[in-house]
Amino acid sequence: MIKKLFVLSGLIAFIGLSAQKTHKVVKGDTPYNVAKKYGITIDEFYKLNPKTKDGSLAIGQVLNVKSSSAAPAPKVQTSEPKVKELGKIVLQPKQTIYGITKQYKISETDLRKLNPDLDSHTKIGDEITLPLESIKKYGGTQAAVVEQPAKVTPANNRTKIDSGNERTSASVQNDEYVTYTVEAGDTVFSIVNKYGVTIDELIALNPDLAKGLKTGMVLKIKKLDPAYVKKNGDALNVVLMLPFGYNSNDSQYRAMALDFLTGAKLAIERNAGNGQKLDIKVVDSGSEASFRNSLTQINPNNTDLVIGPFFKSNVVDLLDFTKTQKIPVVSPFANAPDLHGYSNLIILETSDQTYADKIVDEVKAVYSNQKIYVVADAKKDNANYLKAGFEKVLKNANIMIVNSAADIQLDQNMMTGQSAPVIAVLANDNDGVGEAFSNKIIALSKEVQGMKAFSMYSVPSFEKKADDLVQASLVYLMDRKIDPDGNFEKEILAAYKAKYCKTPGKYAIIGFDVVNDMLTRENKKGEIFKQMNKVQTQLATKYEFERAKANGAYINKGFRVIRLMP
């Protein structure tokens, strides 16, 4: 049996203090208003002034309020980038998030930084913030309606942004809480340590703490998620379960596992470099048959997160093994209805049914009694699901499931005898079938106007023949595709090439996206589930989670919609 252990810790240490700012306490000063005055958090204030941890200050007392390091590393994180001007555009009919990223040469990640509320419910008339320079250069007749200065977040702080920590105050306001009556001898530190919350979270719920802690004061305390509490220690203890097959002499999935690991390691090193303290253990999960033996390598009492295994049966075994501790389990690939009842499971693979439901909505929006052809794969599961969906929302729809794009035929107008356009839907992810589908749609579009084409998947021919496919207003769904224009994407690809001297393969990209997404949601308090409402796009995958049902699994519903407009 081969075991591999990676321990990665990243803390930026200050080498020495070159300057120290102080503040002399005057009447009315409290730790909270002094910290606010100098732009530091209350946690930073108490670290700089440990003798004031009981919250009391004496008039004339000299406090440390800010320190700066002579070391160059922290300077990179705290320095301000050059301020850029922003503008806003008004969302037009048929304009999509993906279309905006392409037109204005901005990645979806950067677009979401500028528009934190951007989501699938964005509607016509909404204002979208973009770099003013991009609007002027690529906007054409769509001019900027508002101009404003922007504070651009440094690229190497991106992980902190994605973690959702900026929403702390909002989450505190929404979370349930318990009350605690302050007793003699209590200090702010003893209370936060007892309940596992931060000082900032405590003050956000109890503004009167700014005036000092008093015996008998009734405090609101944020509840920890009852399903899971961080085990112990400062480091986040993460287990990666990958099917190398060394311990079972089964190499069937070894290449995939090794590729996944290269991307995962890059994500781990990136987050550790940003200050996240991590203890990573890589476990050989073997084959499906030998999986249970690998569970002996996991200590459920000191594990905070498990990423993997790959296969459904193994995921069930792991969930049973961890059911007492309710450890968050991340399934990179397995997604099935019988997994949806586990409250501590996070499913990252968007299901075919999710894609199909979106295509049904898209067809419904343009349908006008046209005949519908669905090009199926060998199993016909997706095609049958689509057919049932169409029949549910479209009145008297004429739907044909066919095995090949060659079977798609124009309809005939009963009154005039002329050819009439049809709707064609691709429910097959095979590249060759996609090529044939593209060719057929292009040919039919030349014979008659009004053809409409849709696809559950992205295939290479869609980009190669986009100029011709616009005549059929092709709409298709895309995931796990890298946007080459994004700054974040360029940065990660360059880092991967520098580390491994090659471009990342399919499973390396998935490995990076899965691990980076989970680590950036983890706020070092073991409360990863409270960050699951955050929409994040990683290197090539969009993650938008919904609970399958009350107290059920978190399921990724994320994808990107691409529309080719004439």
Side-chain angles (χ1 to χ4, degrees):
M1 180 181 294
I2 295 180
K3 299 180 181 178
K4 296 188 178 181
L5 175 66
F6 293 88
V7 179
L8 298 173
S9 299
L11 292 174
I12 299 178
F14 284 19
I15 295 175
L17 299 179
S18 61
Q20 188 77 46
K21 289 186 179 180
T22 59
H23 170 83
K24 183 177 286 189
V25 176
V26 297
K27 186 176 180 180
D29 275 349
T30 66
Y32 182 74
N33 62 29
V34 171
K36 186 175 181 181
K37 178 179 180 180
Y38 289 95
I40 59 177
T41 67
I42 193 70
D43 284 316
E44 290 171 333
F45 174 88
Y46 281 121
K47 287 178 182 178
L48 290 170
N49 302 278
K51 293 182 180 179
T52 64
K53 65 181 180 180
D54 61 353
S56 62
L57 302 179
I59 294 175
Q61 183 178 0
V62 177
L63 303 173
N64 296 323
V65 291
K66 199 149 189 176
S67 62
S68 61
S69 171
K75 192 173 181 181
V76 174
Q77 289 198 357
T78 58
S79 62
E80 289 291 338
K82 184 178 179 180
V83 174
K84 296 181 180 179
E85 285 187 308
L86 292 185
K88 291 186 178 182
I89 62 170
V90 175
L91 195 66
Q92 302 297 310
K94 298 184 178 180
Q95 206 167 21
T96 64
I97 292 173
Y98 181 78
I100 291 171
T101 63
K102 284 304 181 187
Q103 178 178 348
Y104 292 96
K105 309 299 182 184
I106 182 173
S107 71
E108 185 175 339
T109 299
D110 295 335
L111 183 65
R112 289 186 179 279
K113 286 183 188 178
L114 296 176
N115 301 272
D117 297 326
L118 191 68
D119 59 26
S120 58
H121 303 294
T122 301
K123 59 185 182 299
I124 296 168
D126 285 352
E127 290 185 343
I128 306 295
T129 301
L130 291 164
L132 182 59
E133 182 181 355
S134 296
I135 297 176
K136 291 180 176 178
K137 187 173 181 180
Y138 305 113
T141 58
Q142 192 170 8
V145 295
V146 176
E147 297 182 10
Q148 59 186 22
K151 182 179 180 180
V152 180
T153 305
N156 60 349
N157 278 350
R158 179 186 184 278
T159 302
K160 294 183 179 178
I161 291 173
D162 282 350
S163 70
N165 290 340
E166 286 73 22
R167 296 191 177 185
T168 300
S169 60
S171 64
V172 169
Q173 292 170 6
N174 293 330
D175 285 341
E176 293 183 355
Y177 58 85
V178 296
T179 58
Y180 173 75
T181 302
V182 178
E183 300 175 353
D186 278 340
T187 66
V188 172
F189 267 66
S190 69
I191 293 171
V192 298
N193 287 335
K194 179 177 181 179
Y195 287 94
V197 297
T198 68
I199 296 175
D200 286 334
E201 288 171 338
L202 187 65
I203 290 177
L205 276 178
N206 303 276
D208 287 344
L209 270 180
K211 301 175 183 177
L213 186 68
K214 299 177 183 178
T215 301
M217 180 183 288
V218 178
L219 301 176
K220 293 179 180 179
I221 310 289
K222 187 176 80 166
K223 274 186 179 180
L224 290 177
D225 189 334
Y228 173 73
V229 177
K230 172 84 169 67
K231 300 308 173 188
N232 55 62
D234 293 332
L236 184 73
N237 294 287
V238 182
V239 173
L240 292 180
M241 302 196 75
L242 305 177
F244 299 111
Y246 293 114
N247 60 14
S248 58
N249 198 27
D250 183 351
S251 62
Q252 182 178 1
Y253 300 104
R254 189 173 300 164
M256 178 176 72
L258 290 169
D259 200 31
F260 186 99
L261 182 60
T262 61
K265 286 176 66 177
L266 187 64
I268 291 165
E269 292 167 4
R270 179 180 178 82
N271 283 275
N274 281 330
Q276 193 174 27
K277 201 170 183 181
L278 301 170
D279 188 337
I280 310 294
K281 182 176 184 179
V282 180
V283 172
D284 181 357
S285 61
S287 64
E288 290 188 78
S290 66
F291 174 75
R292 292 194 179 188
N293 295 331
S294 67
L295 293 176
T296 60
Q297 299 181 55
I298 299 176
N299 177 4
N301 296 314
N302 192 31
T303 298
D304 300 308
L305 178 67
V306 180
I307 297 176
F310 286 4
F311 311 110
K312 175 189 164 185
S313 60
N314 296 163
V315 171
V316 173
D317 288 340
L318 177 62
L319 288 165
D320 289 340
F321 180 74
T322 61
K323 62 184 177 182
T324 302
Q325 295 82 4
K326 291 291 184 182
I327 299 168
V329 172
V330 178
S331 172
F333 301 108
N335 185 352
D338 53 343
L339 293 175
H340 294 178
Y342 293 90
S343 61
N344 59 317
L345 180 62
I346 301 170
I347 297 174
L348 300 188
E349 185 84 348
T350 302
S351 69
D352 287 337
Q353 287 74 27
T354 297
Y355 295 144
D357 288 341
K358 179 60 177 175
I359 293 299
V360 169
D361 289 341
E362 291 289 330
V363 171
K364 179 183 176 182
V366 302
Y367 178 74
S368 181
N369 296 318
Q370 300 100 319
K371 191 173 184 178
I372 301 175
Y373 285 91
V374 181
V375 180
D377 58 9
K379 294 182 179 179
K380 292 187 170 58
D381 290 346
N382 293 336
N384 288 327
Y385 186 90
L386 281 167
K387 187 174 188 293
F390 291 142
E391 290 173 342
K392 185 176 181 179
V393 301
L394 304 176
K395 188 175 181 180
N396 300 322
N398 184 1
I399 305 158
M400 296 286 293
I401 295 179
V402 296
N403 297 320
S404 167
D407 297 325
I408 302 174
Q409 303 296 327
L410 295 176
D411 206 0
Q412 295 294 318
N413 187 304
M414 298 297 292
M415 298 295 293
T416 65
Q418 295 180 335
S419 296
V422 296
I423 292 175
V425 180
L426 179 63
N428 190 322
D429 63 354
N430 180 274
D431 289 351
V433 175
E435 177 83 19
F437 180 83
S438 296
N439 293 336
K440 184 68 174 183
I441 296 305
I442 292 169
L444 295 178
S445 296
K446 292 178 179 178
E447 292 186 38
V448 64
Q449 291 185 339
M451 282 289 300
K452 301 291 182 185
F454 301 85
S455 177
M456 287 175 55
Y457 308 103
S458 169
V459 293
S461 64
F462 289 168
E463 288 198 11
K464 295 176 183 177
K465 303 181 179 183
D467 290 342
D468 294 320
L469 288 168
V470 296
Q471 300 305 317
S473 300
L474 174 66
V475 176
Y476 63 96
L477 308 184
M478 182 179 75
D479 204 2
R480 289 185 173 156
K481 183 175 177 62
I482 298 175
D483 176 7
D485 297 323
N487 292 330
F488 172 70
E489 290 81 355
K490 291 177 182 176
E491 177 187 342
I492 299 304
L493 291 174
Y496 188 93
K497 191 168 186 178
K499 184 175 179 65
Y500 297 108
C501 300
K502 62 180 181 179
T503 56
K506 174 183 177 180
Y507 292 104
I509 293 170
I510 296 173
F512 177 87
D513 283 0
V514 167
V515 175
N516 199 57
D517 191 77
M518 289 298 107
L519 294 185
T520 54
R521 291 179 193 275
E522 173 55 55
N523 63 359
K524 305 177 189 176
K525 289 289 183 182
E527 298 178 2
I528 191 170
F529 292 126
K530 293 185 178 180
Q531 308 295 334
M532 297 307 293
N533 62 343
K534 178 95 172 175
V535 178
Q536 296 188 164
T537 300
Q538 297 297 338
L539 184 59
T541 315
K542 182 177 179 180
Y543 294 108
E544 185 172 4
F545 292 98
E546 294 180 10
R547 298 205 85 157
K549 55 185 177 180
N551 296 318
Y554 291 87
I555 303 175
N556 183 27
K557 299 281 188 174
F559 51 77
R560 288 169 283 182
V561 181
I562 293 82
R563 306 175 193 276
L564 302 184
M565 299 296 183

